[in-house]
Amino acid sequence: MTVVASEVDSSTDVLDALEAESIHIIREVLAEFERPGLLFSGGKDSVVVLHLLAKAVAPARVPIPVVHVDTGHNFDEVIAFRDATVERYGLNLVVGSMQEYIDDGRLRENADGTRNRLQTRVLLDTIEQNKFDVVFGGARRDEDKARAKERILSLRDEFGGWDPRNQRPEVWSLYNGRHAAGWHVRAFPISNWTERDIWAYIERERIQLPPIYFAHEREVFEREGMIRAVTPVSQPNDDEPVLTRTVRYRTVGDASCTGAVLSEARTVPEVLDELALSTLTERGATRADDRISAAAMEDRKKEGYF
Amino acid sequence: MAHGLFRLATAGSVDDGKSTLVGRLLHDAKAILADSLDDIRRVSAERGFGGDEPALDLALVTDGLRAEREQGITIDVAYRYFTTPARSFILADCPGHVQYTRNTVTGASTADAAVVLVDARNGVVEQTRRHLGVLGLLRVPQVIVAVNKMDLAGWDRGVYEGIRADVEAVAVELGISALSVIPVSALDGDFVVDRGASAPWYTGPTLLELLETLPVVVEQHVPRLDVQLVIRPQGALQPGYDAEEFRDFRGYAGTVSGGSLRVGDAVQVLSAGRPYAASVKGLRSTTGPVEAAHVGDAVVVELDTDIDIARGDTIVAGELPEPVREFAAEVCLLSDVPVTPGQRVLIKHGAQVVQAKVEGIDHVLRVSDFSKHPADRLGLNDLGLVRLRTAVPLAVTDYRDSRAAGSFLLIDPQDGTTLAAGMIESDAGAAHGAAAGRGVPEHAAA
């Protein structure tokens, strides 16, 4: 009943297989849950998940809202991109605003002014208030040691917490979305994609991204070996000179803790060439929040981070 | 179907050096970037790894959780990704201890190949038999046994040959047909990616050479698609789709799990236990209309008739498996909730979830030698043959013919816990417990 195919190769094959697997997962989640949402930051991974969602239901419209946990520390270009994307797909946008939480005292600003870790509270409240029983996310297992351990359908308890020691096994392509009342699920359909797969797919599918992913001139300063943009939420100290550099971003996060990389890559093929030569991981190069400890991501995920 | 993507799982007992082997494979295949390597170098030095000659503790590559690093053990399956000019790999690194069976099943259920570690000093031990038995039961197409720590056995050819003979004998007994045995040192790196100079007598491939050239086995069962979603936009179309053309569009979305479906094919649809005839009017892939769809493709099917088809229904080109309400299956318990006769469960098979009852337990397998013993319950990590009865007929297929159509989950109806992974044995079902008298599992057929 089986045949052996011995021909090897072609990266198109890899993208086809990853795309099909992701769409299979997305369709299972759409069918098995009552109220799904898509966590959408405007970053490349959530943009790819949205593209896959549209393919999974085509020609029908994307049937679920997109959810943005807005830290208030955004790059303007990303917010503009978010709104244009929502418009283009005809989506409902749900925003959880951290600024509101800070303004009315539900959250206190961290001493260092970064807000990444604080967003967990806003995320969990937004999930609860909208009665989402599942939210899609663009997390990939190649991003981080803790993410390498997470299931594609990740159960979260009533506090949104993740228990890495007690995960539901996932076998074959059978995804079990059932869960106890009050719990919810985080669904990660692009778990098996690498950063390189994402960029190759963006190129193949001609997917639009926020312009900060491509080389541009920007006023920056250096802190702890990372290149930070000068923005209203990230200002240089007196001993940190402001320089004009040609940079781009590998991830989209808070302007207050996301670093840029020096780059001349102005197109997707140029980004792919640059990645082939890079000796730094995506998050290691650009995310200050992951540098706190070897288990920074794990600790945040146990609290309910996405 | 993609041949460029290769899924790999590992299995090995505690302290066989499995994390180190995976770390070595990734390191020597240059799949670890500089900042991750710096981190590993720093932690290795802090711990004094290697004594007077500081070395890299490559187990740190995969042991990412806080508790894993603190205790030096692997807690759960970790997924790693690496690419060589020949292939892209998805590697499921499965821990070898405590919840061994459950983790091995998780990592190996979709694997194209599995690597089992044997410690050269200990040879084939009970855990080796257990891992090989589970891989045989899951029908992992290729099994590689890495005889590790050959450096500690003085690269003695006789040691390797002895273990190889033992492994081959066990594999025959457990029904594993495609087997390779490689001597390696994960610590030093010999025969993982590079050959090294330790064993001129070994002329076979290195681990990576083997992984790059093993064939991908594609199941070519009867063309089949389990309907995941009914797509009926009724005017709510995505931008760019013509309202007139898609006014009455009704498509059935799913993944092709065997053979190829073509426009014009006569098909049978199994809906709520009843078969209906139809033919394929159109196929849409992720790129638009296509003439054919193959194993693994996520597509949307249009049919020529107005049957009321729902999620969970099955579309088959060719002969529909006889829908049954009773069948037998080998199950592996994945949770600490036991399975007992009379228990009400849910079965997830294909894209449907149906009510079912455990009618009986024929036997529990003693995993060390795969001998069969009577049992009145199955507990965590147990493997055993159960008989099940479902509320509606299911188009099941023997697992030996199709990993996709022959597998299912048992789910706890109360809180949704995944109780067990199941593999259908069509010939065991009819004979009401006769299987208890059978000899070695018949999945031995290659």
Side-chain angles (χ1 to χ4, degrees):
Chain A
M1 281 308 207
T2 55
V3 296
V4 172
S6 51
E7 324 92 87
V8 172
D9 191 88
S10 134
S11 58
T12 326
D13 266 358
V14 174
L15 293 181
D16 285 343
L18 291 171
E19 181 192 59
E21 180 187 69
S22 299
I23 287 175
H24 179 82
I25 295 160
I26 289 168
R27 286 172 174 166
E28 284 301 282
V29 170
L30 291 177
E32 290 219 335
F33 290 84
E34 294 290 323
R35 281 185 63 83
L38 164 64
L39 291 175
F40 187 81
S41 65
K44 64 185 185 308
D45 301 310
S46 56
V47 171
V48 166
V49 175
L50 177 57
H51 183 86
L52 292 164
L53 247 168
K55 286 201 163 197
V57 298
R61 200 176 277 269
V62 174
I64 65 171
V66 292
V67 183
H68 184 217
V69 177
D70 180 354
T71 61
H73 281 179
N74 304 292
F75 290 95
D76 294 341
E77 299 92 326
V78 176
I79 292 295
F81 175 83
R82 177 197 77 182
D83 293 340
T85 305
V86 164
E87 177 78 27
R88 190 155 49 84
Y89 281 94
L91 301 169
N92 290 327
L93 174 67
V94 173
V95 177
S97 165
M98 189 183 302
Q99 194 60 51
E100 284 176 19
Y101 278 66
I102 289 170
D103 291 347
D104 66 20
R106 278 178 288 173
L107 281 176
R108 270 170 297 131
E109 195 94 67
N110 277 337
D112 63 2
T114 61
R115 291 182 171 179
N116 188 293
R117 192 161 187 152
L118 294 178
Q119 68 181 307
T120 299
R121 163 79 189 275
V122 184
L123 169 63
L124 294 175
D125 284 359
T126 306
I127 288 171
E128 197 172 305
Q129 283 154 14
N130 290 276
K131 299 188 169 57
F132 293 125
D133 52 358
V134 62
V135 283
F136 287 105
R140 307 190 322 270
R141 285 169 174 158
D142 79 327
E143 280 180 272
D144 178 88
K145 299 183 285 290
R147 286 196 166 153
K149 297 261 167 182
E150 195 162 12
R151 299 286 187 258
I152 289 171
L153 259 58
S154 177
L155 267 183
R156 299 302 181 106
D157 65 21
E158 58 186 306
F159 302 103
W162 176 62
D163 180 0
R165 305 190 81 143
N166 188 26
Q167 299 196 74
R168 181 177 283 176
E170 271 174 356
V171 284
W172 299 293
S173 307
L174 295 166
Y175 297 95
N176 173 14
R178 292 182 181 244
H179 56 277
W183 290 40
H184 73 274
V185 169
R186 306 279 172 87
F188 301 116
I190 57 168
S191 286
N192 284 329
W193 298 48
T194 65
E195 183 184 18
R196 213 185 144 66
D197 297 326
I198 291 286
W199 280 106
Y201 189 68
I202 285 166
E203 169 65 8
R204 185 179 98 173
E205 302 283 312
R206 303 273 180 250
I207 296 171
Q208 294 176 35
L209 289 183
I212 68 169
Y213 277 112
F214 304 99
H216 56 286
E217 284 204 342
R218 189 180 278 273
E219 286 201 327
V220 297
F221 60 95
E222 250 190 69
R223 182 175 296 166
E224 290 160 5
M226 234 182 249
I227 301 168
R228 309 289 183 94
V230 179
T231 72
V233 297
S234 57
Q235 291 288 323
N237 297 326
D238 293 342
D239 58 345
E240 294 169 333
V242 173
L243 311 159
T244 300
R245 289 283 180 269
T246 304
V247 298
R248 69 175 196 90
Y249 285 83
R250 278 174 79 176
T251 66
V252 160
D254 271 23
S256 59
C257 65
T258 304
V261 291
L262 293 176
S263 171
E264 298 291 336
R266 291 172 196 277
T267 63
V268 181
E270 285 171 15
V271 169
L272 277 162
D273 288 345
E274 190 180 275
L275 275 183
L277 299 173
S278 174
T279 60
L280 292 181
T281 59
E282 179 182 335
R283 296 190 79 90
T286 64
R287 294 301 272 265
D289 42 327
D290 290 341
R291 293 187 166 186
I292 297 163
S293 79
M297 175 70 86
E298 177 186 352
D299 293 344
R300 273 180 291 152
K301 289 172 81 71
K302 284 178 180 166
E303 292 171 4
Y305 188 79
F306 110 96
Chain B
M1 188 69 196
H3 309 128
L5 190 64
F6 198 81
R7 292 173 198 260
L8 178 68
T10 63
S13 315
V14 191
D15 299 331
D16 280 351
K18 193 168 46 57
S19 293
T20 307
L21 179 70
V22 171
R24 171 61 66 189
L25 183 62
L26 296 174
H27 176 267
D28 291 3
K30 303 199 169 33
I32 305 173
L33 292 178
D35 53 343
S36 298
L37 207 55
D38 285 347
D39 180 47
I40 293 161
R41 193 170 284 126
R42 184 179 53 75
V43 177
S44 301
E46 277 170 17
R47 294 180 178 176
F49 190 85
D52 295 336
E53 293 175 64
L56 290 180
D57 180 0
L58 289 169
L60 292 168
V61 173
T62 55
D63 291 347
L65 297 174
R66 192 181 281 282
E68 291 176 323
R69 291 192 161 210
E70 284 163 1
Q71 297 166 35
I73 54 161
T74 310
I75 288 172
D76 204 342
V77 184
Y79 294 87
R80 299 286 154 186
Y81 304 84
F82 66 103
T83 299
T84 69
R87 266 181 184 162
S88 289
F89 294 91
I90 298 178
L91 188 157
D93 185 24
C94 311
H97 65 109
V98 204
Q99 295 176 323
Y100 36 79
T101 312
R102 156 185 154 148
N103 281 318
T104 307
V105 171
T106 296
S109 65
T110 55
D112 295 306
V115 181
V116 177
L117 264 85
V118 170
D119 186 324
R121 296 167 304 172
N122 304 329
V124 173
V125 295
E126 187 178 322
Q127 280 278 59
T128 318
R129 300 179 66 92
R130 193 189 307 274
H131 291 308
L132 290 174
V134 172
L135 298 179
L137 200 62
L138 283 166
R139 296 184 56 75
V140 175
Q142 326 261 354
V143 174
I144 302 163
V145 172
V147 182
N148 190 27
K149 306 195 184 182
M150 279 301 294
D151 49 318
L152 299 181
W155 286 99
D156 183 317
R157 184 174 189 172
V159 168
Y160 164 75
E161 295 293 351
I163 293 173
R164 191 168 70 125
D166 289 350
V167 166
E168 282 172 354
V170 175
V172 168
E173 191 188 321
L174 296 175
I176 293 167
S177 53
L179 178 80
S180 316
V181 186
I182 307 181
V184 301
S185 165
L187 196 65
D188 300 334
D190 306 66
F191 300 115
V192 179
V193 172
D194 304 315
R195 299 194 70 81
S198 313
W201 48 263
Y202 176 74
T203 53
T206 65
L207 179 59
L208 186 64
E209 283 166 2
L210 193 61
L211 293 175
E212 286 182 325
T213 52
L214 280 178
V216 173
V217 176
V218 182
E219 285 185 343
Q220 293 292 346
H221 196 62
V222 178
R224 174 176 177 134
L225 180 140
D226 295 309
V227 176
Q228 294 183 280
L229 277 180
V230 179
I231 296 187
R232 221 184 149 195
Q234 295 181 296
L237 288 164
Q238 277 178 38
Y241 286 89
D242 179 65
E244 201 56 47
E245 186 186 347
F246 291 96
R247 186 177 302 283
D248 299 315
F249 185 85
R250 188 187 183 100
Y252 306 103
T255 304
V256 179
S257 66
S260 301
L261 270 183
R262 284 169 208 287
V263 174
D265 276 356
V267 293
Q268 299 236 50
V269 183
L270 185 71
S271 179
R274 306 176 98 106
Y276 299 90
S279 78
V280 177
K281 188 171 81 178
L283 282 168
R284 302 184 68 82
S285 78
T286 56
T287 53
V290 288
E291 280 301 308
H294 311 287
V295 180
D297 290 351
V299 295
V300 177
V301 182
E302 287 178 89
L303 297 179
D304 67 334
T305 51
D306 261 343
I307 315 166
D308 177 23
I309 296 175
R311 168 172 168 83
D313 293 351
T314 301
I315 298 171
V316 175
E319 207 172 319
L320 189 72
E322 183 67 38
V324 293
R325 287 186 57 195
E326 290 190 38
F327 56 88
E330 206 73 63
V331 295
C332 173
L333 273 280
L334 303 172
S335 117
D336 49 16
V337 180
V339 162
T340 53
Q343 190 174 350
R344 288 176 185 278
V345 292
L346 297 172
I347 288 181
K348 180 161 190 180
H349 174 254
Q352 68 183 328
V353 179
V354 301
Q355 298 201 58
K357 217 169 175 182
V358 179
E359 290 286 282
I361 299 173
D362 282 6
H363 61 246
V364 60
L365 285 176
R366 186 193 293 151
V367 195
S368 53
D369 61 359
F370 272 60
S371 60
K372 294 163 181 173
H373 304 269
D376 51 15
R377 72 206 289 272
L378 296 174
L380 180 61
N381 292 317
D382 278 348
L383 286 162
L385 192 75
V386 299
R387 276 173 289 118
L388 297 156
R389 193 159 62 87
T390 59
V392 296
L394 296 181
V396 300
T397 298
D398 194 293
Y399 186 76
R400 285 164 282 197
D401 292 332
S402 167
R403 280 211 272 181
S407 60
F408 62 89
L409 302 178
L410 289 187
I411 297 171
D412 185 329
Q414 276 201 314
D415 61 5
T417 301
T418 300
L419 299 173
M423 291 153 273
I424 291 152
E425 289 210 3
S426 52
D427 53 351
H432 285 291
R438 283 177 21 214
V440 292
E442 287 178 39
H443 61 264

